[in-house]
Amino acid sequence: MKNFDDHHKKTLALILGGGRGTRLHPLTEQRSKPAVPIAGKYRLVDIPISNCLNSRINKIFVLTQFNSASLNRHIKHSYNFDLFSKGFVDILAAEQTFDSSEWYQGTADAVRQSYQHFTTVEHDYVLILSGDQLYQMDFKEMLQDHINNNADLTIATIPVDAQDATGFGIMKTDEMDNILSFIEKPDKDELKNWVSETGEKMKKEGREYLASMGIYLFNKKVLKDLLFKYDGTDFGKNIIPASINEYKVNSYQFEGYWTDIGTIGSFHVANIDLTRNIPSFNLYDNDNAIFTHARMLPPAKVVGTSLENVVLSEGAIVHASRIENSVIGIRTRIGHGCNIYDSYLMGSDYYETIDDIAEYNKQGIPAMGLGERCHIKNAILDKNVRIGNNVTIMGNKHLEEKETKEYKIVDGIVVVKKNAVIPNGTVIGG
């Protein structure tokens, strides 16, 4: 078995920020997808960056093109390395050059257009990650597996059952974990031909199909060859199928928690899952810390509130009657008599002073946060919202999709937009 040695030092990580993030709209209306707040105090991009840092990979580029200002600020304030470490986390936004005047057309095209920036960084391997997934993975183990198998490309895969398999790119492997073929989102009647050996435990759970996680580890030369030999714009649809015929492509099977946060529904589920007694994603792991911007905030303060299964972030000031199965973000202010269920309140970027609040009251504008006697259920309240008194916001799976200037109903969830003002007595959903 070859030793891992310093291979992590020669691994470059590329985190793909995605396109406009339309399926996460309106959370992506004023920010890029990787900058969307998650779990009360983090951003989505913190997840792949933290996985890299915990795996001792510290040369990281984040590729993005839409609404990247807040992402730039977050990266700049959060990830500053020792001058002698040679580590970095840099943003690469889409740019016009003599060779290209177009936006990124897909995942592979984003890497291809940015390729000139990678040539100045010493590396032997390129790890390509998504900016909108929730998981904890030790990339050192994936890299060791890649090296031991003399692979040209290793694809992280996760066993899924027949119901889920139709929504993924599915790999077919041999007994040595070589990937033999690939199909994008197969029909149910095609699945019988795509069963792989996933192990006894996975078989018993009906998870006999290997789905691509969108996590790829390339040898440097192989990535360059594939990017510039083929015109395809997407890794999953174009580059990966082409690579299987030409190179040694291996599957690295992952069996931990992983979810693709591609929609408002999946985003809401992933956050509310964090409030469970033993959540699927462990925020409290000594060896796998989630890193983010270090804020100098006071502790949360709770006055007379019944809390059950609540993730409460620092700086929150809570006077609610009851909060259940909910995530409360940084600096969230919640007034007396409020009841909050199955919701994610992202909080605020700053505190309003008492004088500020008094001045807004004179103008008939609610203070930032929640007023008094509000009832909130199945909702996401974006940053800096102003919710008046006696407001009801009720998401329900039977609600039709709807969008106004202040909110959007999608996947049965009511999403109140960033900086929205909801007047006293408003009823949304039901």
Side-chain angles (χ1 to χ4, degrees):
M1 182 176 180
K2 296 178 183 177
N3 187 19
F4 180 70
D5 290 328
D6 290 332
H7 292 296
H8 65 286
K9 294 181 181 177
K10 295 189 177 179
T11 301
L12 178 66
L14 309 179
I15 298 172
L16 305 180
R20 292 182 181 274
T22 52
R23 293 188 302 156
L24 270 180
H25 184 271
L27 300 180
T28 51
E29 193 169 76
Q30 299 182 45
R31 58 169 79 89
S32 63
K33 190 158 48 170
V36 171
I38 190 169
K41 61 176 288 182
Y42 306 101
R43 306 271 188 157
L44 276 174
V45 76
D46 292 329
I47 305 304
I49 290 177
S50 297
N51 281 325
C52 287
L53 297 181
N54 289 325
S55 303
R56 295 189 290 159
I57 295 169
N58 67 354
K59 297 174 183 176
I60 305 166
F61 284 111
V62 182
L63 278 59
T64 187
Q65 61 184 338
F66 294 105
N67 289 334
S68 56
S70 63
L71 180 63
N72 275 316
R73 284 196 302 272
H74 178 69
I75 297 294
K76 178 182 176 183
H77 292 149
S78 304
Y79 300 102
N80 296 304
F81 295 95
D82 188 296
L83 288 173
F84 301 101
S85 72
K86 297 184 179 178
F88 61 84
V89 181
D90 283 350
I91 297 281
L92 288 179
E95 58 187 357
Q96 288 192 342
T97 67
F98 287 112
D99 297 321
S100 175
S101 60
E102 296 183 342
W103 290 110
Y104 300 148
Q105 302 301 304
T107 53
D109 187 61
V111 177
R112 187 184 293 116
Q113 286 198 43
S114 306
Y115 195 83
Q116 59 176 324
H117 298 288
F118 314 144
T119 57
T120 59
V121 180
E122 183 185 2
H123 65 282
D124 292 333
Y125 309 99
V126 182
L127 178 65
I128 295 180
L129 307 171
S130 172
D132 57 357
Q133 298 175 348
L134 189 61
Y135 66 105
Q136 288 168 312
M137 180 187 288
D138 188 346
F139 297 131
K140 296 193 303 294
E141 294 181 3
M142 183 178 179
L143 181 56
Q144 185 69 73
D145 187 77
H146 177 85
I147 293 166
N148 290 344
N149 286 299
N150 293 312
D152 295 312
L153 161 61
T154 295
I155 300 173
T157 59
I158 190 165
V160 295
D161 59 23
Q163 181 175 345
D164 290 336
T166 55
F168 289 98
I170 299 297
M171 310 289 177
K172 175 79 171 180
T173 60
D174 63 17
E175 65 278 0
M176 300 299 291
D177 294 324
N178 294 302
I179 294 175
L180 305 176
S181 51
F182 167 85
I183 186 171
E184 182 76 19
K185 298 181 179 178
D187 293 330
K188 282 199 172 180
D189 55 3
E190 295 179 282
L191 285 178
K192 62 181 181 295
N193 301 317
W194 290 89
V195 173
S196 290
E197 179 54 55
T198 57
E200 285 303 313
K201 180 186 174 187
M202 294 294 102
K203 273 187 179 179
K204 286 179 181 176
E205 296 178 13
R207 296 165 65 181
E208 297 184 278
Y209 309 95
L210 287 174
S212 170
M213 297 169 66
I215 296 173
Y216 313 114
L217 180 63
F218 288 88
N219 290 346
K220 175 183 175 181
K221 183 179 183 303
V222 172
L223 175 61
K224 182 178 180 181
D225 289 348
L226 285 166
L227 285 176
F228 295 101
K229 183 174 181 180
Y230 298 98
D231 295 329
T233 58
D234 194 76
F235 279 109
K237 293 176 183 175
N238 310 117
I239 301 299
I240 299 307
S243 70
I244 292 170
N245 299 322
E246 259 187 85
Y247 296 96
K248 180 172 170 52
V249 183
N250 263 59
S251 163
Y252 175 74
Q253 185 170 314
F254 178 73
E255 296 178 7
Y257 173 77
W258 173 86
T259 186
D260 182 16
I261 300 179
T263 65
I264 290 295
S266 61
F267 179 81
H268 182 262
V269 167
N271 278 283
I272 302 308
D273 182 80
L274 296 172
T275 70
R276 289 170 47 199
N277 216 18
I278 303 178
S280 303
F281 184 85
N282 185 6
L283 289 171
Y284 308 94
D285 189 330
N286 287 322
D287 300 319
N288 292 289
I290 307 301
F291 302 103
T292 192
H293 175 44
R295 304 172 182 89
M296 302 305 158
L297 286 174
K301 179 167 68 174
V302 180
V303 182
T305 307
S306 170
L307 302 173
E308 185 170 349
N309 292 2
V310 176
V311 173
L312 186 63
S313 302
E314 60 262 44
I317 302 173
V318 179
H319 294 270
S321 292
R322 182 169 177 81
I323 307 177
E324 187 176 319
N325 299 330
S326 296
V327 177
I328 308 300
I330 56 172
R331 303 186 191 89
T332 301
R333 185 191 62 80
I334 304 175
H336 294 278
C338 291
N339 290 284
I340 301 166
Y341 303 91
D342 305 302
S343 295
Y344 177 17
L345 282 58
M346 291 186 179
S348 303
D349 289 320
Y350 58 93
Y351 288 115
E352 288 183 324
T353 66
I354 292 174
D355 289 341
D356 290 337
I357 294 171
E359 182 60 34
Y360 279 118
N361 282 339
K362 285 180 184 176
Q363 300 175 39
I365 300 172
M368 196 177 292
L370 264 70
E372 299 185 348
R373 300 174 300 280
C374 294
H375 191 87
I376 312 294
K377 186 172 183 179
N378 291 326
I380 298 170
L381 275 53
D382 206 333
K383 286 280 194 76
N384 306 334
V385 298
R386 298 173 180 275
I387 311 290
N389 298 330
N390 303 304
V391 170
T392 297
I393 300 174
M394 293 279 288
N396 187 304
K397 63 182 179 181
H398 301 299
L399 292 174
E400 291 186 9
E401 292 202 1
K402 176 183 178 181
E403 182 170 10
T404 72
K405 180 184 174 184
E406 306 295 339
Y407 68 89
K408 183 176 182 178
I409 299 173
V410 58
D411 296 336
I413 308 299
V414 178
V415 184
V416 179
K417 297 181 180 182
K418 187 176 182 180
N419 300 317
V421 178
I422 308 297
N424 294 342
T426 301
V427 177
I428 302 172

